[in-house]
Amino acid sequence: DPVVGEQARSRFADAEQMLARFATERLVTPRGVIGLFPAWADGDDIRVVANGTETTIHGLRQQFAKKGERENLALADFIAPARDGASDWIGAFAVTSGREPEEFAADLEAHHDDYNAILVKALADRLAEALAEWMHRRVRTHYWGYAASEALDNQGLIAEAYQGIRPAPGYPACPDHTEKRALFELLDVEAAIGLSLTESFAMTPGASVSGWYLSHPESKYFGIGRVGRDQVESYAARKGWSVEEAERWLAPNLGYTPGSSR
């Protein structure tokens, strides 16, 4: 690029040099944990069984008008319902670049090397995403094996041409961050890889990714968008919350003003 190409090449070279340092000095140890569990859809929720105990993954459904016959989606649509007598599965995962990059970045900041501290944090984020991508591929082709013959090149992976999705709690298809609690309990994440949740359900260390594996051939990413008071009331009842608590956690997705008559 005639405008930013030289600086971009310089930043890329710096990143490759730092990655080499990560490897030779063992400044990062990526870790991951996965699980596959029997599951079935129950309305907009997904029921999961692990070690003889049932866990509920609470879901939301799109409510906005669409053209034609396009349906309003919920993640539960991609899991077989119990009434069909079908057994289905859902996967869960959590990966992290670990605490080492945060400690390394803090040391760089203490020595006023802000540039490399930012670079370390950015690379740690990318490594966590890369591990999530690699683990998903292993799940599809080996551990779950529903796409054992998959043979995508890197461009195919970038284009997400594979079967299945890995939606993450807190993101558009499942915007409630508190659903991470069920995921972390199913996988015993903190004991397995040292990744924990804060009171606001942020992951720590921050260079981490967690979510669900869905294998349905028609599964796709989508956004819930705005939800009405009727769904918020239903969601609160299913979660065992007050409506006010549900409104607080779903605030970015509310299609109305809490406390109003509409």
Side-chain angles (χ1 to χ4, degrees):
D1 185 276
V3 178
V4 300
E6 182 178 353
Q7 289 194 359
R9 286 190 295 274
S10 176
R11 298 296 83 78
F12 186 72
D14 290 344
E16 289 197 310
Q17 186 176 15
M18 184 60 75
L19 280 173
R21 188 175 175 186
F22 277 7
T24 57
E25 299 181 30
R26 297 191 178 278
L27 296 173
V28 59
T29 307
R31 305 170 180 89
V33 58
I34 63 170
L36 301 173
F37 307 97
W40 67 94
D42 181 8
D44 294 343
D45 294 337
I46 299 171
R47 309 287 187 188
V48 182
V49 175
N51 299 319
T53 302
E54 184 178 312
T55 298
T56 300
I57 302 168
H58 299 93
L60 292 163
R61 182 173 296 278
Q62 296 172 321
Q63 287 186 280
F64 51 89
K66 295 184 178 182
K67 294 182 179 179
E69 297 181 357
R70 295 169 59 206
E71 66 276 11
N72 282 326
L73 296 172
L75 288 178
D77 294 343
F78 305 126
I79 299 289
R83 66 174 178 270
D84 287 352
S87 59
D88 208 344
W89 294 80
I90 191 169
F93 75 94
V95 299
T96 181
S97 291
R99 299 195 180 278
E100 298 93 337
E102 289 188 349
E103 295 167 354
F104 183 32
D107 183 64
L108 290 168
E109 289 170 341
H111 289 84
H112 310 291
D113 189 353
D114 292 339
Y115 172 76
N116 277 309
I118 292 170
L119 184 60
V120 166
K121 293 175 184 178
L123 286 172
D125 286 339
R126 293 302 87 205
L127 286 172
E129 293 287 353
L131 180 54
E133 186 73 64
W134 184 80
M135 288 297 298
H136 193 190
R137 186 173 193 172
R138 291 286 290 162
V139 166
R140 296 191 305 271
T141 60
H142 178 67
Y143 295 115
W144 196 338
Y146 64 82
S149 60
E150 178 186 303
L152 296 174
D153 60 14
N154 197 48
Q155 289 304 311
L157 293 173
I158 293 171
E160 297 174 347
Y162 45 74
Q163 178 182 328
I165 57 175
R166 56 173 190 275
Y171 283 78
C174 41
D176 179 7
H177 283 275
T178 72
E179 286 298 300
K180 290 175 191 164
R181 180 191 287 120
L183 189 154
F184 271 57
E185 289 176 352
L186 281 169
L187 295 175
D188 198 9
V189 172
E190 187 165 7
I193 60 174
L195 177 60
S196 59
L197 295 172
T198 68
E199 290 184 357
S200 60
F201 291 92
M203 291 180 289
T204 180
S208 305
V209 186
S210 64
W212 308 107
Y213 294 133
L214 299 176
S215 66
H216 195 290
E218 296 179 18
S219 61
K220 57 186 176 182
Y221 294 106
F222 60 89
I224 292 296
R226 301 294 181 181
V227 294
R229 189 188 302 274
D230 57 338
Q231 183 165 193
V232 172
E233 291 173 349
S234 169
Y235 191 74
R238 287 181 276 132
K239 291 274 288 189
W241 285 349
S242 66
V243 172
E244 290 74 20
E245 187 172 9
E247 289 174 337
R248 179 165 65 89
W249 285 107
L250 299 176
N253 293 86
L254 297 182
Y256 64 95
T257 301
S260 67
S261 59
R262 297 182 60 186

